[in-house]
Amino acid sequence: SSGINAEYLAAKQDPEKWMKATSISRNFGNMTFDEAKKILDVEDVDDKEALEAKVERLLQMNDKKDPKNKGCGSKYIQDKVLNAKERIEFELEQRQEKRAEG
């Protein structure tokens, strides 16, 4: 929880700087890790190949320009898929940092 406290203190000291720092590096907003897993329909987030395959498939399925989709698709869903991928990657990075610390 020390990371949360440090983040809280940083936010209190300079809210604008903190908001910029967190929003620039994180496009997934307030999406939770569990939401991200549900969006991508994955359980094992450590299987990077399966994760990438799922993301690619969902992006392709929602691509209006893909002839197979006959003009159907959703930029909104594509954005959600990419945000979910980013959220999971963020979670994995956080785990790596915790392991490195200790």
Side-chain angles (χ1 to χ4, degrees), residues 25-26 28 85-95:
S25 63
R26 303 176 193 166
F28 53 80
K85 176 182 183 254
E86 207 168 291
R87 176 64 180 92
I88 288 171
E89 288 170 347
F90 174 74
E91 184 75 20
L92 295 174
E93 283 171 26
Q94 297 291 24
R95 289 180 187 177

PDB file of all heavy atoms in Angstrom, residues 25-26 28 85-95:
ATOM      1  N   SER A  25       0.053   8.759 -19.382  1.00  0.00           N
ATOM      2  CA  SER A  25       0.567   7.400 -19.497  1.00  0.00           C
ATOM      3  C   SER A  25      -0.528   6.332 -19.461  1.00  0.00           C
ATOM      4  O   SER A  25      -0.286   5.192 -19.772  1.00  0.00           O
ATOM      5  CB  SER A  25       1.590   7.130 -18.395  1.00  0.00           C
ATOM      6  OG  SER A  25       0.955   7.226 -17.144  1.00  0.00           O
ATOM      7  N   ARG A  26      -1.740   6.722 -19.073  1.00  0.00           N
ATOM      8  CA  ARG A  26      -2.797   5.725 -18.915  1.00  0.00           C
ATOM      9  C   ARG A  26      -4.058   6.138 -19.656  1.00  0.00           C
ATOM     10  O   ARG A  26      -4.766   7.032 -19.227  1.00  0.00           O
ATOM     11  CB  ARG A  26      -3.127   5.542 -17.439  1.00  0.00           C
ATOM     12  CG  ARG A  26      -1.924   5.139 -16.633  1.00  0.00           C
ATOM     13  CD  ARG A  26      -2.247   5.067 -15.176  1.00  0.00           C
ATOM     14  NE  ARG A  26      -1.013   4.986 -14.409  1.00  0.00           N
ATOM     15  CZ  ARG A  26      -0.942   5.181 -13.120  1.00  0.00           C
ATOM     16  NH1 ARG A  26      -2.018   5.467 -12.430  1.00  0.00           N
ATOM     17  NH2 ARG A  26       0.202   5.090 -12.495  1.00  0.00           N
ATOM     18  N   PHE A  28      -6.553   4.007 -20.134  1.00  0.00           N
ATOM     19  CA  PHE A  28      -7.652   3.137 -19.752  1.00  0.00           C
ATOM     20  C   PHE A  28      -8.567   3.752 -18.696  1.00  0.00           C
ATOM     21  O   PHE A  28      -9.541   3.151 -18.281  1.00  0.00           O
ATOM     22  CB  PHE A  28      -7.145   1.761 -19.298  1.00  0.00           C
ATOM     23  CG  PHE A  28      -6.088   1.829 -18.226  1.00  0.00           C
ATOM     24  CD1 PHE A  28      -6.422   2.029 -16.913  1.00  0.00           C
ATOM     25  CD2 PHE A  28      -4.753   1.668 -18.568  1.00  0.00           C
ATOM     26  CE1 PHE A  28      -5.454   2.087 -15.927  1.00  0.00           C
ATOM     27  CE2 PHE A  28      -3.772   1.717 -17.604  1.00  0.00           C
ATOM     28  CZ  PHE A  28      -4.118   1.924 -16.278  1.00  0.00           C
ATOM     29  N   LYS A  85      -6.420  -3.863 -23.102  1.00  0.00           N
ATOM     30  CA  LYS A  85      -5.064  -4.401 -23.294  1.00  0.00           C
ATOM     31  C   LYS A  85      -4.060  -3.564 -22.503  1.00  0.00           C
ATOM     32  O   LYS A  85      -3.192  -4.084 -21.808  1.00  0.00           O
ATOM     33  CB  LYS A  85      -4.715  -4.399 -24.779  1.00  0.00           C
ATOM     34  CG  LYS A  85      -3.301  -4.857 -25.083  1.00  0.00           C
ATOM     35  CD  LYS A  85      -3.032  -4.784 -26.579  1.00  0.00           C
ATOM     36  CE  LYS A  85      -1.669  -5.312 -26.915  1.00  0.00           C
ATOM     37  NZ  LYS A  85      -0.712  -4.263 -27.251  1.00  0.00           N
ATOM     38  N   GLU A  86      -4.210  -2.250 -22.608  1.00  0.00           N
ATOM     39  CA  GLU A  86      -3.302  -1.337 -21.908  1.00  0.00           C
ATOM     40  C   GLU A  86      -3.430  -1.501 -20.385  1.00  0.00           C
ATOM     41  O   GLU A  86      -2.434  -1.479 -19.664  1.00  0.00           O
ATOM     42  CB  GLU A  86      -3.634   0.099 -22.308  1.00  0.00           C
ATOM     43  CG  GLU A  86      -2.461   1.023 -22.199  1.00  0.00           C
ATOM     44  CD  GLU A  86      -2.748   2.358 -22.868  1.00  0.00           C
ATOM     45  OE1 GLU A  86      -2.852   2.409 -24.095  1.00  0.00           O
ATOM     46  OE2 GLU A  86      -2.853   3.343 -22.117  1.00  0.00           O
ATOM     47  N   ARG A  87      -4.659  -1.705 -19.910  1.00  0.00           N
ATOM     48  CA  ARG A  87      -4.892  -1.874 -18.471  1.00  0.00           C
ATOM     49  C   ARG A  87      -4.214  -3.145 -17.960  1.00  0.00           C
ATOM     50  O   ARG A  87      -3.591  -3.152 -16.898  1.00  0.00           O
ATOM     51  CB  ARG A  87      -6.400  -1.924 -18.194  1.00  0.00           C
ATOM     52  CG  ARG A  87      -6.750  -2.188 -16.740  1.00  0.00           C
ATOM     53  CD  ARG A  87      -6.261  -1.039 -15.863  1.00  0.00           C
ATOM     54  NE  ARG A  87      -6.552  -1.230 -14.461  1.00  0.00           N
ATOM     55  CZ  ARG A  87      -5.736  -1.805 -13.578  1.00  0.00           C
ATOM     56  NH1 ARG A  87      -4.562  -2.284 -13.961  1.00  0.00           N
ATOM     57  NH2 ARG A  87      -6.069  -1.897 -12.316  1.00  0.00           N
ATOM     58  N   ILE A  88      -4.311  -4.211 -18.741  1.00  0.00           N
ATOM     59  CA  ILE A  88      -3.681  -5.475 -18.355  1.00  0.00           C
ATOM     60  C   ILE A  88      -2.158  -5.341 -18.376  1.00  0.00           C
ATOM     61  O   ILE A  88      -1.474  -5.783 -17.460  1.00  0.00           O
ATOM     62  CB  ILE A  88      -4.171  -6.630 -19.260  1.00  0.00           C
ATOM     63  CG1 ILE A  88      -5.625  -6.952 -18.901  1.00  0.00           C
ATOM     64  CG2 ILE A  88      -3.283  -7.866 -19.100  1.00  0.00           C
ATOM     65  CD1 ILE A  88      -6.319  -7.905 -19.846  1.00  0.00           C
ATOM     66  N   GLU A  89      -1.633  -4.667 -19.401  1.00  0.00           N
ATOM     67  CA  GLU A  89      -0.182  -4.445 -19.473  1.00  0.00           C
ATOM     68  C   GLU A  89       0.296  -3.630 -18.279  1.00  0.00           C
ATOM     69  O   GLU A  89       1.353  -3.902 -17.711  1.00  0.00           O
ATOM     70  CB  GLU A  89       0.188  -3.759 -20.785  1.00  0.00           C
ATOM     71  CG  GLU A  89       0.078  -4.685 -21.986  1.00  0.00           C
ATOM     72  CD  GLU A  89       0.218  -3.959 -23.317  1.00  0.00           C
ATOM     73  OE1 GLU A  89       0.167  -2.705 -23.357  1.00  0.00           O
ATOM     74  OE2 GLU A  89       0.372  -4.666 -24.328  1.00  0.00           O
ATOM     75  N   PHE A  90      -0.502  -2.633 -17.894  1.00  0.00           N
ATOM     76  CA  PHE A  90      -0.172  -1.802 -16.738  1.00  0.00           C
ATOM     77  C   PHE A  90      -0.113  -2.661 -15.469  1.00  0.00           C
ATOM     78  O   PHE A  90       0.810  -2.559 -14.673  1.00  0.00           O
ATOM     79  CB  PHE A  90      -1.203  -0.679 -16.585  1.00  0.00           C
ATOM     80  CG  PHE A  90      -1.019   0.147 -15.349  1.00  0.00           C
ATOM     81  CD1 PHE A  90       0.012   1.068 -15.260  1.00  0.00           C
ATOM     82  CD2 PHE A  90      -1.877   0.007 -14.270  1.00  0.00           C
ATOM     83  CE1 PHE A  90       0.182   1.837 -14.118  1.00  0.00           C
ATOM     84  CE2 PHE A  90      -1.717   0.761 -13.126  1.00  0.00           C
ATOM     85  CZ  PHE A  90      -0.680   1.678 -13.048  1.00  0.00           C
ATOM     86  N   GLU A  91      -1.100  -3.540 -15.314  1.00  0.00           N
ATOM     87  CA  GLU A  91      -1.147  -4.440 -14.154  1.00  0.00           C
ATOM     88  C   GLU A  91       0.097  -5.323 -14.108  1.00  0.00           C
ATOM     89  O   GLU A  91       0.705  -5.510 -13.054  1.00  0.00           O
ATOM     90  CB  GLU A  91      -2.406  -5.305 -14.228  1.00  0.00           C
ATOM     91  CG  GLU A  91      -2.603  -6.210 -13.043  1.00  0.00           C
ATOM     92  CD  GLU A  91      -3.079  -5.493 -11.793  1.00  0.00           C
ATOM     93  OE1 GLU A  91      -3.625  -4.373 -11.893  1.00  0.00           O
ATOM     94  OE2 GLU A  91      -2.883  -6.047 -10.705  1.00  0.00           O
ATOM     95  N   LEU A  92       0.477  -5.856 -15.264  1.00  0.00           N
ATOM     96  CA  LEU A  92       1.654  -6.729 -15.335  1.00  0.00           C
ATOM     97  C   LEU A  92       2.930  -5.960 -14.991  1.00  0.00           C
ATOM     98  O   LEU A  92       3.811  -6.479 -14.318  1.00  0.00           O
ATOM     99  CB  LEU A  92       1.752  -7.383 -16.712  1.00  0.00           C
ATOM    100  CG  LEU A  92       0.608  -8.353 -17.065  1.00  0.00           C
ATOM    101  CD1 LEU A  92       0.738  -8.832 -18.500  1.00  0.00           C
ATOM    102  CD2 LEU A  92       0.552  -9.519 -16.100  1.00  0.00           C
ATOM    103  N   GLU A  93       3.012  -4.702 -15.452  1.00  0.00           N
ATOM    104  CA  GLU A  93       4.172  -3.858 -15.118  1.00  0.00           C
ATOM    105  C   GLU A  93       4.244  -3.624 -13.610  1.00  0.00           C
ATOM    106  O   GLU A  93       5.314  -3.677 -13.020  1.00  0.00           O
ATOM    107  CB  GLU A  93       4.076  -2.506 -15.827  1.00  0.00           C
ATOM    108  CG  GLU A  93       4.447  -2.547 -17.280  1.00  0.00           C
ATOM    109  CD  GLU A  93       4.129  -1.230 -17.987  1.00  0.00           C
ATOM    110  OE1 GLU A  93       4.085  -0.163 -17.318  1.00  0.00           O
ATOM    111  OE2 GLU A  93       3.915  -1.269 -19.210  1.00  0.00           O
ATOM    112  N   GLN A  94       3.082  -3.360 -13.004  1.00  0.00           N
ATOM    113  CA  GLN A  94       3.038  -3.120 -11.557  1.00  0.00           C
ATOM    114  C   GLN A  94       3.526  -4.359 -10.796  1.00  0.00           C
ATOM    115  O   GLN A  94       4.259  -4.245  -9.823  1.00  0.00           O
ATOM    116  CB  GLN A  94       1.615  -2.767 -11.092  1.00  0.00           C
ATOM    117  CG  GLN A  94       1.077  -1.492 -11.677  1.00  0.00           C
ATOM    118  CD  GLN A  94       1.792  -0.249 -11.150  1.00  0.00           C
ATOM    119  OE1 GLN A  94       2.921  -0.292 -10.715  1.00  0.00           O
ATOM    120  NE2 GLN A  94       1.134   0.877 -11.207  1.00  0.00           N
ATOM    121  N   ARG A  95       3.113  -5.528 -11.268  1.00  0.00           N
ATOM    122  CA  ARG A  95       3.551  -6.782 -10.628  1.00  0.00           C
ATOM    123  C   ARG A  95       5.061  -6.947 -10.744  1.00  0.00           C
ATOM    124  O   ARG A  95       5.712  -7.365  -9.800  1.00  0.00           O
ATOM    125  CB  ARG A  95       2.845  -7.976 -11.266  1.00  0.00           C
ATOM    126  CG  ARG A  95       1.381  -8.067 -10.929  1.00  0.00           C
ATOM    127  CD  ARG A  95       0.773  -9.277 -11.590  1.00  0.00           C
ATOM    128  NE  ARG A  95      -0.665  -9.309 -11.418  1.00  0.00           N
ATOM    129  CZ  ARG A  95      -1.433 -10.247 -11.953  1.00  0.00           C
ATOM    130  NH1 ARG A  95      -0.908 -11.207 -12.676  1.00  0.00           N
ATOM    131  NH2 ARG A  95      -2.729 -10.215 -11.752  1.00  0.00           N
TER     132      ARG A  95
END
